Amino acid sequence: MRLCAALPLLWPVTYDSPNLRYNSGMVTRAVEDYLKAIYKLQRDGAPATTNAIADVLGVRAASVTSMLKSLRDEGMAEYTRYQGAYLTEEGLAEALRVIRRHRLIAK
């Protein structure tokens, strides 16, 4: 954990993974959406393709590619260009946690 240089004694700010997690360690809403989409698309055993994820989420394929690279860097997904993505054990656990939480909220 690194501290913000501008406010070293007042407020610690983590920079471990600014795109995917809040400072509390919880994943962002966007990451939750991507994890759920990948989980649903990969259930039949085939990788979740960039275009399929883009269609499900209503975003551009370039945005999906960027997020898949971030998820890969965080260890939540295995992504190979032109082949699609699978969730890793960590990504699968996080996706299932999100799905369970959303089901509880819906009840």
Side-chain angles (χ1 to χ4, degrees):
M1 176 167 99
R2 296 183 308 187
L3 297 178
C4 180
L7 303 170
L9 300 175
L10 301 175
W11 190 261
V13 178
T14 60
Y15 291 103
D16 296 353
S17 52
N19 294 332
L20 303 183
R21 297 181 188 270
Y22 296 114
N23 287 342
S24 63
M26 295 178 58
V27 296
T28 63
R29 175 65 189 228
V31 172
E32 289 180 350
D33 293 342
Y34 276 89
L35 291 173
K36 283 179 17 181
I38 296 167
Y39 174 77
K40 290 176 182 178
L41 290 168
Q42 77 173 27
R43 282 189 293 187
D44 63 356
T49 65
T50 302
N51 288 331
I53 298 168
D55 289 342
V56 168
L57 298 177
V59 297
R60 294 182 182 257
S63 298
V64 174
T65 300
S66 177
M67 180 60 83
L68 289 177
K69 289 177 181 178
S70 295
L71 289 171
R72 178 187 61 202
D73 293 345
E74 286 294 316
M76 290 192 201
E78 294 177 13
Y79 168 66
T80 305
R81 192 173 179 186
Y82 303 117
Q83 294 181 11
Y86 287 101
L87 293 177
T88 61
E89 287 185 28
E90 181 183 350
L92 180 61
E94 186 67 30
L96 292 173
R97 185 191 65 76
V98 169
I99 290 167
R100 283 188 202 111
R101 190 178 82 235
H102 289 184
R103 285 183 184 159
L104 289 173
I105 292 170
K107 288 184 176 182

